[in-house]
Amino acid sequence: MTTIYIIAAIVLIVAILVVIFRLQVLSAVLKGRYEKRVGIGNDINGLLFVIVFVVGVGAFWYSYQQASAFFLPAASSEHGVRTDQLFWVTMAILVAAFLVTNALLYVFPYFYKYKEDRKAYFYPDNHRLEMIWTIIPAVVMAGLVVFGYKEWTAITSPAPKGAEVIEIMGKQFAWQVRYPGKDGVLGNYNYRNIDAVNEFGIDMNDSASYDDFIPRELHLPKGKPVLLNIRARDVIHSVFLPHFRVKMDAVPGMPTHFWFVPTKSTADMRDETGNAKFNYELACTEVCGRGHYAMRFVVVVDEPADYEKWKASQETFASLNRDYAAEKAPKLVGLLPAKVAAPEAPADSTAAPADTTAVAAH
Amino acid sequence: MSSSDIHIHDHHAHSHDHDHDHEHHELPWIRQYIFSEDHKIIAKQYLISGILWAILGGLFSLIFRIQLGFPNADLSWMKPVLGEWIQNGKLDPEFYLAMVTMHGTIMVFFVLTAGLSGTFSNFLIPLQIGARDMASGFLNMLSFWFFFLSSVVMFASIFISTGPASGGWVIYPPLSALPQAMSGSGLGMTLWLSSMAIFIVSSLLGSLNYITTIINLRTKGMTFDRLPLTIWAFFITAIIGVLSFPVLFSAALLLVFDRSFGTSFFLSEIYIGGEALSNQGGSAILFQHLFWFLGHPEVYIVLLPALGITSEIVATNSRKPIFGYKAMIGSILAIAFLSFIVWAHHMFITGMNPFLGSIFMFLTLIIAVPSAVKAFNYIATLWKGNIIFTPAMLFSIGLVSFFISGGLTGIILGNSAIDIQLHDTYFVVAHFHIVMGSASFFGMLAGVYHWFPKMFGRMMDERLGYIHFWLTFIGVYVVFFPMHYIGIAGFPRRYYSWTGFDAFNSFADLNQLISIAAILVFIAQFIFIFNFFYSIFKGRISSLNPWRSNTLEWTTPLNPEHGNWPGDIPHVYRWPYDYSKPGHNEDFIPQNVPFSQTPHSNFPHEKDSNE
Ligand code: HEM
Ligand SMILES: [Cu+2]
Ligand SMILES: [Cu+2]
């Protein structure tokens, strides 16, 4: 019943609008508004451009002030500081170009709006002017390319020797990380080894696998280069560490890499932001399915000494899954620790990490 | 030669033409208005379909804007329409992605490719070059009906129980290849691929026709350096389409093979749904290369016609020649060429070789130069003009503003070092909605307002046009400008909700503002839709050349029949931009006026060549 009322009301409103509109047009025709080449509307539109520009620039300024309070804090990585700088320098150039060109674009309509007694200036071209405004952008672009190129090659250069190697794997819908353990070498993997226990597909026949561990947070050492070995096991995901200005796709069948140097520990950031609960986060930025928005993983940057302590406290995958390892690689049982070492109190600085899978499946 | 296969009204050609004349008038209704071969009818068919698709695409964006602006709202009221996609008053996250995907697909392909290029290439090419119709009216008709079929398939996919394609409009595999990965990758994706394959056939038929017509059917005197910039834009757009759409077709075909026939072009080492798939050796990145080889030219397929339309409208309503006609053509050509070699700027962080990233950064930033030239030329055209603000003119100025604002942020994204942080954030969304979405959309609206009198013989109401413009223009900036801030703050795109992250927990108010503005902008479009349909039937009767324009379409009768000119096709003697020429008493000289009739305004080199 309500539906019928609503439909009737809409029909009525539309009908009334049509009638008003029709009357308005008829009266305009009677008054001869359509005879003249331009009406008062022309002046109003010309003026509106100037008003919109002035108000618009004001709104731009104001909104920027408001919004910039919520931008990410200063970058927590070495390269991030430099790319941020590149961003803001480029942005400053662009804002200047934006203001100048838009000012002209909005002011000309006002100054050159139609006047009966004036004729437009027949001005089909001017080669010198055109040269100038081809060359200036070309030079500016060349400058930006040079700086961008320098930064890009530095960021994508091979990781320094001795970088901390950590593996990140994306799956629907969670991240998992694996550390190489004492030997500094990640054990081999094969996607065919993946099962409910062995999410990474770690090859238990590779002796380098036996000290690998799989923690529930990503810990990074402050001030040391970190090399992320990135992969995915089902669809494409993308590793995004917003505070570190790090992003790299995780592609099934094609391992990727990104290395960087974290410069501020989680504790530093807590001081800096005044937020005692601050945590670095890892997000996914390549659409990967229903839980794409929920692939959160906590990242902790420790002082180097704490980092080593934390690493030492982690129990290896093999010792947590002794039976599994023994079954898969009976020849290598000797590599398993004799007895489960009493796990030290976890040095995790946060409460239980979010179980993102649960959110995703909601 | 131009009219030999059309025969209509060409009384000066062969004597048997008269019989054909009769045949034509006896064409059944269905051949005149439905399965018509008249380019003007086909253009209107594209336009109406485009408008319908735009409403749907806009509506979808409101659904997900409501989700983003009001994440805690109870959406049960949508249940009567969305049914199972609303659970406990919440939008299903996969349906959210489906809406995003459909919105993008509809807007890019169905509205801005078919609706914009299809409408105006069809309508204007024969009228502005002085031809009776397209080179092949039949293929042209076929092109529309292929588009219609592809629309039906895409539309049907929205209603299936597993939902339409949901992996983003770029449909990257493996997500799009594996039904286990998300439900939209099942039947929905099959329909998406089928629809797009048909769409590509339609687009190719159309483009080949445009190219042939422009090359072969220009009237006497219409040399390439006298073509209006609209035609130049449509011409180059069609060439880009012919070269790039087949690549998307092959990518889609390979994806079909991977999906249905067990091949491994894009799949490798995948463990999903509790099992390891046997596919090995494929490359997911290969698909992205193929996709963006179309995908980037596609943004110019969408944008160039809008720029062409704008050139025409800005010159006409500034009562001035377009500034730098040759430079405008040159920059269209440069943009078209460069658009084929910048595609991988969408892939800086896919793990492709960083050296490639450097090359593509360099090429991408070069393309900013011809774009800048175009913007400067528009502004120079306004300078010292005698500007008349028709609604079309307002929308054209709006387009230039968007083209500048959005093009500038492209310079940031094209810098691979900076793109690391901004890729796939709302900054990108802001960028391409302003430069591609809004600019092209404004070009389309400007074109409708400008050529409405030629399409329907009546005028649209200009005051409603003004209101429509100002609401939309301001609204678009309110919607998309703040997205830059959200992007700088790192918010990823294609997120159903950001509240799970501490880092993305701010900006709730701003997102709400954007959503409200988006709803208002959407509602404001109904002013246009009312104006459009009302004026078709009840608008004031137009004069023959309401904008005092120089191009040939205004030399046709008010409601031209199939064949366009009742008598001979006019000849062309001059370029289309003789506005406010010194020495002439009027402020325009149409292209079909010989120099011999304008002795006072001719420059020394301007003489009629021997007839
Ligand atoms: C002039 C018309 C332009 C159009 C129509 C356009 C359109 C688009 C579109 C649709 C996207 C989004 C792709 C996605 O879904 O991920 C995009 C992204 C991008 N655009 Fe543009 N664009 C234009 C101009 C420019 C210019 C002038 C530049 C550079 C100078 C540029 C550089 C980029 C880059 C690098 C990206 C990728 C950003 C990323 O994925 O992070 N664009 N553009
Ligand atoms: Cu994801
Ligand atoms: Cu591109």
Side-chain angles (χ1 to χ4, degrees), chain A residues 149-170:
Chain A
Y149 174 79
K150 264 178 60 186
E151 220 33 74
W152 173 250
T153 35
I155 293 169
T156 54
S157 61
K161 288 237 154 45
E164 278 291 314
V165 179
I166 303 168
E167 180 174 55
I168 300 192
M169 184 202 62

Side-chain angles (χ1 to χ4, degrees), chain B residues 1 125 128-129 210-236 239 325-326 328-330 332-333 572 574-577 591:
Chain B
M1 81 185 157
I125 289 176
Q128 288 197 331
I129 66 171
Y210 306 151
I211 296 171
T212 322
T213 309
I214 294 173
I215 293 180
N216 289 318
L217 299 188
R218 282 165 292 125
T219 183
K220 192 160 182 331
M222 182 60 93
T223 50
F224 271 92
D225 57 357
R226 288 181 185 159
L227 280 181
L229 286 171
T230 33
I231 304 299
W232 266 107
F234 299 149
F235 183 53
I236 302 300
I239 294 176
Y325 174 74
K326 293 255 162 70
M328 287 301 233
I329 297 172
I332 292 179
L333 290 171
V572 163
R574 57 180 75 232
W575 76 329
Y577 298 110
Q591 282 192 282

Side-chain angles (χ1 to χ4, degrees), chain B residues 292 295-296 299 342-343 345-346:
Chain B
W292 286 112
H296 195 80
V299 307
V342 298
W343 78 88
H345 66 206
H346 301 267

